[in-house]
Amino acid sequence: MTFSNERFLQNFLENEVQTDMLVVDGHAGNGQKTRFLASRVGKNGMVLSFHDDREAANKTAASLFMAGLQDRATIENGGLSEEGLQKELGRLTKADLMILDYSSSETINHHQINADCDVAWEFLKESGQLLVLISANDDFSTVRKVILTDLADCASSALFAADDGSTLIFEKKATEE
């Protein structure tokens, strides 16, 4: 058996995504993860899928329609943003899981990742998980350090690294009141 980041992610999502969950695919790309997530959340769950480009958003919408999953996902044409999350989730609803996939990016922008994580974190429920996927060319320790600079006191983290990329997992700690 060959270890791969893609295999790890698939197994992780199969085990963690349950019916009735609210999941955000923050950089949906070709929409394959969105379609898989929509199949897992059930009829009362929801996937929010953010696309940087209109053509990719349209392809994802068509793929969901062909699979009969269009009622389980909302496709956003435009990148992950506080405004987009606010519009779809409001101030009270929080996501169970958020995925930010930078694994196909040519170059990694640590400032953009940090900004996206800050936005995502605000809309993540307690014990919710944030997954950050990066390519094998990127230094996962630097990315992890950049993210944990802001989240150190409110998150626990784990890392899976393979030859084809890495997945950083951050779980939001419950606040003590």
Side-chain angles (χ1 to χ4, degrees), residues 32-47:
Q32 287 181 346
K33 284 183 207 60
T34 297
R35 190 176 61 244
F36 173 76
L37 294 166
S39 74
R40 301 288 295 177
V41 298
K43 65 180 180 178
N44 294 322
M46 181 57 68
V47 178

Side-chain angles (χ1 to χ4, degrees), residues 5-153:
N5 194 47
E6 195 61 39
R7 176 181 235 151
F8 168 78
L9 180 64
Q10 186 70 27
N11 286 333
F12 181 89
L13 294 176
E14 285 175 0
N15 288 313
E16 293 296 318
V17 177
Q18 306 295 319
T19 57
D20 302 334
M21 286 181 83
L22 174 56
V23 180
V24 175
D25 190 354
H27 290 277
N30 64 15
Q32 287 181 346
K33 284 183 207 60
T34 297
R35 190 176 61 244
F36 173 76
L37 294 166
S39 74
R40 301 288 295 177
V41 298
K43 65 180 180 178
N44 294 322
M46 181 57 68
V47 178
L48 298 178
S49 180
F50 289 85
H51 294 266
D52 293 325
D53 130 316
R54 181 180 298 279
E55 185 176 337
N58 291 339
K59 285 181 181 179
T60 299
S63 174
L64 288 165
F65 180 78
M66 296 298 287
L69 299 170
Q70 68 275 11
D71 294 338
R72 298 181 185 187
T74 298
I75 309 301
E76 289 291 321
N77 181 28
L80 180 74
S81 69
E82 185 172 355
E83 296 79 25
L85 287 168
Q86 185 74 38
K87 179 181 95 174
E88 293 299 330
L89 301 177
R91 291 183 315 111
L92 301 177
T93 304
K94 303 287 184 183
D96 297 289
L97 175 70
M98 293 200 178
I99 303 170
L100 302 176
D101 186 352
Y102 305 97
S103 61
S104 60
S105 299
E106 294 284 324
T107 58
I108 193 160
N109 179 334
H110 296 108
H111 299 292
Q112 184 63 50
I113 291 175
N114 197 36
D116 288 348
C117 287
D118 286 347
V119 167
W121 200 255
E122 181 182 337
F123 291 91
L124 192 64
K125 67 173 49 171
E126 290 182 359
S127 300
Q129 297 169 324
L130 171 64
L131 277 62
V132 179
L133 286 65
I134 59 174
S135 73
N137 299 332
D138 297 315
D139 180 8
F140 58 81
S141 61
T142 302
V143 174
R144 182 175 178 270
K145 183 177 177 182
V146 166
I147 297 169
L148 280 178
T149 299
D150 292 338
L151 306 180
D153 295 333

